[in-house]
Structures are given as structure tokens and as C-alpha cells.
Amino acid sequence: MRTANKTKRLMPRKLVVRTNPHSIAAEQYRTIRTNINFSIPDLTSKIILFTSASKEEGKSTTAANMAIVFAETGKRVLLIDADMRRPTLFRTFQLVNNTGLSNLLLGKGNLKHSVKASGIPNLDLLMSGQIPPNPAELLESDILDELMGEMRELYDYVLVDSPPILSVTDAKILANRCDGTVLVVNTGKSEKVSVEKARDSLATAKAFILGVVLNNYPLTSENYYYHNYND
Ligand SMILES: Nc1ncnc2c1ncn2[C@@H]1O[C@H](COP(=O)(O)OP(=O)(O)OP(=O)(O)O)[C@@H](O)[C@H]1O
Ligand SMILES: [Mg+2]
């Protein structure tokens, strides 16, 4: 069982928006894109964090698919793997994690040379970089503010994938610095109390909660109707 879980963890996250752009799931990601744009209309450059209460709720899958639907609109998008504990972005896009956020936070290299092309128009990627012993301390450094300033100049949307907020402090630090936070909830698996704790934790961090994404949500017949209608 442990081996099966580990194998699953090492698999790339599914980019349904890329493989099946007309699917119901892809359309749902576009709806979330619209809602995010309505929630923070005034900023020309938006830095958005994706987190969840617990592990494996779908943060990385949601962040990657959202990055693609934002890039579809012709805007410049950067997707960052700020989960320096269990990074997955390099696997999802079949790239190497030789350099990335951790290296930049240590003052090594620069943003322009550290981002990688995703193969999708308008979408760049910043890997986690080598796994550091102290991710939270790195995120608390002033260098992160400088980096975010540079990112705002280069990109219209910066999407940040992070570890679960109830496990480690990383997401709390990031939530405080991002323009908005999306809380990903694994429907049916997440305990209500955990979601409430995550919300409280984000409130303590003075995060601007944009909304909740219900991942693995069972679809109703209405969803199918609209899917067919649009086809
Ligand atoms: N909507 C979905 N439908 C099917 N499988 C999904 C969905 N969302 C996520 N998964 C699968 O669930 C597992 C966990 O997803 P993901 O890595 O995106 O979660 P995470 O919250 O980033 O996890 P972690 O806490 O380890 O960073 C992966 O195997 C992923 O492929
Ligand atoms: Mg993840």
C-alpha cells in the first residue's frame, strides 16, 4: 500500500485542460478563472496562492490546470512550485528540478534565467529548486519580496503552489504576501473541522481568501447539460 501511494506521488499531475480542453473539468477551471478575475479586478499583475488544509487535496493539480487556462487568455503566466518539501511541478511538465525558487531565495541566480518554458504559449515555470533544510526560513527572507516585485513586472498572473497550511508554516507566510489565496478542498475526504482550521489560519496570516475549489466534486446532470450545450 505504501509502495502504491509512493508510486502515485511520483506520477505527473494530470493536465486535463491540455489533454481534454473541451471537457467539463476544463470548463470548470475556466469558471474559476473568471471568478478569480472578478475577485481581484483592480490589480494589473496578480499573485495567487493555492493551498489546502491537508496533503493530497489537489493543490498542485489545480494550480497547474489554472495556470494553463490563464495562459489561454494570452496573458503572461508564471507557475511556481513553492512546495519545497514535496515538489511535483518538474514531473508534471517532465523537466528537471536543477534550479528554482530555493536557489533564488538563497541569492543564487536570477529570475529570468531560472524560469523554464512549459511548452505551452505564455506559460513559464519556476521549479522548487533543490530541497532546502529550512523552507520556511527561506520564505521569510526579504529576497521573496524582491522576487515578487520582479515577477509583477514580467507576468500578468503568478500562480503559487504550496504545501498544506495545517502541516507547515510555509503557506501561511506565502498567503500573507500573495494578493489572494485559493483554498483547495478534496470533497468528501476533507474534514469540515480541518477546512475551518485552514480558514482561521489564513485569517491569522491576513490572507485575502478568494474562494474554495471543491476538488473531486461529483458532477450533477446539470453540469452534463451545459457541457453538451457548449459542444
Ligand atoms: N480532480 C482530480 N481527479 C482525479 N485525480 C486527482 C484530482 N486532483 C488530484 N488528483 C490526484 O490526487 C493526487 C494528489 O493531487 P495533488 O498532487 O494535486 O495534491 P496536492 O494537494 O498538491 O498534494 P501534496 O499535499 O502532496 O502537495 C495526485 O495523484 C493527483 O493526480
Ligand atoms: Mg502538491
Side-chain angles (χ1 to χ4, degrees), residues 59-60 83 86 88 161-162:
K59 297 174 289 297
S60 302
D83 189 341
R86 288 173 74 171
T88 53
D161 182 17
S162 69

Side-chain angles (χ1 to χ4, degrees), residues 115-206:
V115 298
K116 294 179 198 281
S118 65
I120 293 171
N122 310 313
L123 176 59
D124 283 348
L125 308 169
L126 182 64
M127 305 301 148
S128 69
Q130 278 138 25
I131 297 180
N134 52 350
E137 283 163 39
L138 278 188
L139 290 168
E140 272 172 325
S141 103
D142 292 341
I143 299 178
L144 182 61
D145 289 326
E146 289 166 28
L147 272 175
M148 283 180 158
E150 272 181 66
M151 287 168 189
R152 285 187 196 281
E153 280 170 29
L154 296 170
Y155 298 97
D156 301 303
Y157 292 93
V158 178
L159 273 58
V160 184
D161 182 17
S162 69
I165 197 156
L166 297 185
S167 312
V168 286
T169 192
D170 310 14
K172 227 172 152 176
I173 300 166
L174 287 162
N176 177 261
R177 292 172 175 205
C178 291
D179 301 318
T181 296
V182 173
L183 190 63
V184 179
V185 173
N186 192 352
T187 319
K189 224 173 159 193
S190 275
E191 300 282 345
K192 186 171 173 241
V193 63
S194 303
V195 178
E196 285 169 352
K197 277 189 193 160
R199 181 201 56 198
D200 294 347
S201 193
L202 287 169
T204 320
K206 297 187 170 50

Side-chain angles (χ1 to χ4, degrees), residues 5 8-9 52 54-59 86 164 186 189:
N5 277 344
K8 197 177 164 200
R9 197 143 60 80
S52 62
S54 313
K55 64 177 185 164
E56 292 172 7
E57 298 213 45
K59 297 174 289 297
R86 288 173 74 171
N186 192 352
K189 224 173 159 193

